Amino acid sequence: MPDATIEQVEVELDEDFRSFGRGHLRAMVDGGLLTIQGWALGQNSIATSLVLTDQADRPVARIPIDAQRPDIAGGFPDVPGAGTSGFRVVLRPSGSGSGQIRARVQFEDRSEAELGGLACKVLDGGAGVGAGPGWSPVTPEDSESQKVLFGREGWLYLRGDTNDILGQHTGRVKLGEERRRQWRQVLWDRMAVSEALGIPWVCVVAADKESVYPEYLPEGISPSAHRPVHEFLELAGAVGAPVTYALDRLRAAKEECEVYARTDTHWNFRGAYEGYRIFCEEMLGRGLELEPLGEEDLEWVEGTVDGDLGRKVQPEPLIGPMVRVRFKRPSGRVVFDNGVHNHGRVMRFESDRPGPTCVLFGESFCDFLVPFLQETFGRLVFVHTSMFVPEVLKWERPDVVLSLPLERFLIRVPNDANAFEDLRALALKKGGELPWSTGKA
């Protein structure tokens, strides 16, 4: 018998919860799995766990409320537990029919309150509608494997992520008016900082793998022509922000060679080189004296990699091809690295070759871009963050500042209000430090 499929889920928040605190509940459907996630804060006591029950009041799962939520901490800086107020669970249905899942928050003082509920309809592939579905949590190992969407010809894609990437690419998820308003203000503020400091700002959006290689998505997934990234680009154009989307360049380059790894969500070094060329063209157009790397400076090497998707596959990781780069005359070297993993990492590079200076703000795609930039600039500072940090620019006084946001992350609007302090707190929490003692130059 085919696996059960979730046909419909509707979320309703309980208005009475405001008497106990603040919170949000959302649900995402991906084939036969239901992801429930959100956040909760207590008014008088810290929220510690979320209890889920079904339509017969049978226990479904008890989830700790302890996931990192820096966005909630930014919105509620004085509320204890705001930074770890998140929760997430993946459920698998059994049986069929219409039913409900109720979500109840438990607090540190042993009080509790209902956050909301989900109305669900489940079909089990032909057995008809039963008395109502049952639910069981997906184990962490199984959950990781379920984040992999198997495409055609060995191409893997992401699914079940917190950004609902499939929802974005099928047109179900939009930015919405509030996020558009927030992004408009963020872009205005970043342009104002750039102009006030006299530092040119260049922003290139790294395209999702699903946008560059939609032809290998599995049958039944129909990509939308208008996604959240297009809403973002429309906003950027309206306010005059210096934003370029790398999609057209990457799609053109893939005709010659693969620009993304089949078993990874990221571009490979070939793809990163196309992003690098876009940055260089934008900077040269601004009058910056620059000597970009050409094909004669590079050597491309074929290899293999499991990647962040391939290694999630159980029981044996999947391996795919990977294009790497070697520099024929390398000169860039690391002079500072705080050793922090992911967000909060700061690296400084210097080169023996004279050249302008640069600060780069960006996400994990920068790991593939940085090698090209460190060979191009006399000094490069990379800050792994989605924020734009004016204090870093005042301290470094670079000739140019670059931003590399990732397409699927655009539905999360960064908060630059206290960027330096947030960056420093995150680095310290992860056991690292920043090369600047204060945020003031």
Side-chain angles (χ1 to χ4, degrees):
M1 183 180 295
D3 292 337
T5 58
I6 304 167
E7 186 178 64
Q8 183 179 356
V9 174
E10 297 179 359
V11 178
E12 182 179 359
L13 295 176
D14 195 315
E15 289 295 328
D16 292 337
F17 188 77
R18 287 182 175 271
S19 301
F20 295 84
R22 299 290 297 274
H24 187 69
L25 185 71
R26 64 180 297 215
M28 295 185 296
V29 175
D30 188 4
L33 297 177
L34 173 65
T35 298
I36 298 174
Q37 63 188 43
W39 57 275
L41 294 175
Q43 183 170 290
N44 301 310
S45 181
I46 295 175
T48 57
S49 58
L50 187 79
V51 176
L52 302 179
T53 55
D54 67 8
Q55 62 275 356
D57 203 31
R58 295 171 298 199
V60 172
R62 185 176 184 274
I63 315 152
I65 298 177
D66 60 2
Q68 296 287 332
R69 288 299 300 257
D71 55 331
I72 304 303
F76 299 91
D78 299 324
V79 178
T84 53
S85 60
F87 57 80
R88 183 177 186 272
V89 66
V90 180
L91 302 177
R92 178 181 284 112
S94 59
S96 62
S98 297
Q100 287 189 328
I101 297 176
R102 307 306 302 177
R104 192 170 71 255
V105 175
Q106 295 182 333
F107 300 95
E108 198 171 54
D109 64 2
R110 299 190 178 183
S111 63
E112 55 184 54
E114 190 161 302
L115 177 60
L118 294 80
C120 313
K121 184 176 182 181
V122 177
L123 303 180
D124 65 359
V129 177
W135 302 91
S136 58
V138 176
T139 64
E141 182 181 73
D142 194 16
S143 179
E144 285 300 293
S145 183
Q146 292 292 341
K147 290 181 181 179
V148 180
L149 182 67
F150 290 84
R152 308 174 193 186
E153 299 183 26
W155 286 81
L156 305 181
Y157 297 88
L158 182 64
R159 71 174 182 179
D161 64 310
T162 57
N163 301 295
D164 196 0
I165 189 169
L166 289 182
Q168 292 190 51
H169 281 270
T170 56
R172 178 167 47 82
V173 174
K174 308 290 186 183
L175 274 187
E177 184 55 40
E178 177 59 21
R179 279 186 289 220
R180 286 198 297 269
R181 183 195 65 77
Q182 293 172 349
W183 263 122
R184 187 180 295 109
Q185 188 62 52
V186 166
L187 292 170
W188 271 116
D189 290 345
R190 292 181 178 185
M191 288 191 296
V193 169
S194 170
E195 183 177 356
L197 295 177
I199 303 172
W201 173 43
V202 177
C203 178
V204 174
V205 178
D208 287 339
K209 182 181 185 178
E210 291 75 4
S211 299
V212 182
Y213 288 99
E215 66 271 26
Y216 295 116
L217 285 165
E219 187 175 351
I221 295 181
S222 301
S224 172
H226 195 267
R227 305 182 297 280
V229 64
H230 296 106
E231 295 180 76
F232 174 78
L233 294 172
E234 290 164 4
L235 284 172
V239 302
V243 175
T244 301
Y245 185 30
L247 180 59
D248 290 344
R249 179 70 67 89
L250 290 164
R251 281 185 173 177
K254 78 176 188 180
E255 300 301 323
E256 301 295 328
C257 61
E258 290 184 0
V259 292
Y260 282 64
R262 298 189 185 195
T263 55
D264 199 281
T265 58
H266 300 84
W267 54 19
N268 58 25
F269 286 98
R270 259 295 182 182
Y273 181 60
E274 294 303 320
Y276 164 80
R277 291 176 60 195
I278 296 173
F279 271 126
C280 290
E281 290 167 8
E282 292 288 333
M283 288 183 284
L284 288 169
R286 302 281 195 92
L288 192 70
E289 294 186 7
L290 200 67
E291 294 185 12
L293 298 168
E295 290 285 351
E296 67 279 4
D297 301 308
L298 311 172
E299 180 182 356
W300 301 105
V301 182
E302 298 290 337
T304 58
V305 69
D306 54 2
D308 59 0
L309 293 173
R311 70 177 64 104
K312 295 181 189 297
V313 177
Q314 302 294 330
E316 292 293 330
L318 292 182
I319 306 296
M322 178 64 168
V323 179
R324 304 185 186 278
V325 66
R326 289 178 183 165
F327 299 93
K328 295 180 180 179
R329 295 174 295 277
S331 67
R333 61 188 181 277
V334 179
V335 296
F336 176 85
D337 184 353
N338 69 354
V340 168
H341 176 66
N342 208 310
H343 286 260
R345 188 174 194 181
V346 176
M347 302 180 73
R348 184 182 279 140
F349 304 84
E350 292 181 358
S351 173
D352 296 330
R353 301 173 187 170
T357 58
C358 171
V359 167
L360 169 67
F361 298 124
E363 307 274 357
S364 57
F365 270 49
C366 289
D367 293 343
F368 298 84
L369 178 68
V370 161
F372 299 99
L373 296 177
Q374 75 180 62
E375 299 298 326
T376 304
F377 289 95
R379 185 176 79 251
L380 168 70
V381 176
F382 166 50
V383 184
H384 191 133
T385 181
S386 61
M387 299 182 294
F388 194 86
V389 192
E391 291 85 352
V392 172
L393 302 181
K394 293 174 184 177
W395 194 278
E396 293 291 333
R397 293 291 174 180
D399 295 305
V400 65
V401 54
L402 309 180
S403 294
L404 185 74
L406 176 57
E407 176 179 340
R408 75 172 184 267
F409 289 165
L410 293 174
I411 63 167
R412 294 187 288 178
V413 185
N415 184 355
D416 298 342
N418 299 293
F420 185 83
E421 291 304 321
D422 291 345
L423 181 68
R424 180 166 58 180
L426 182 59
L428 289 172
K429 185 174 183 178
K430 293 183 174 183
E433 58 183 13
L434 301 184
W436 313 282
S437 58
T438 70
K440 298 180 180 179

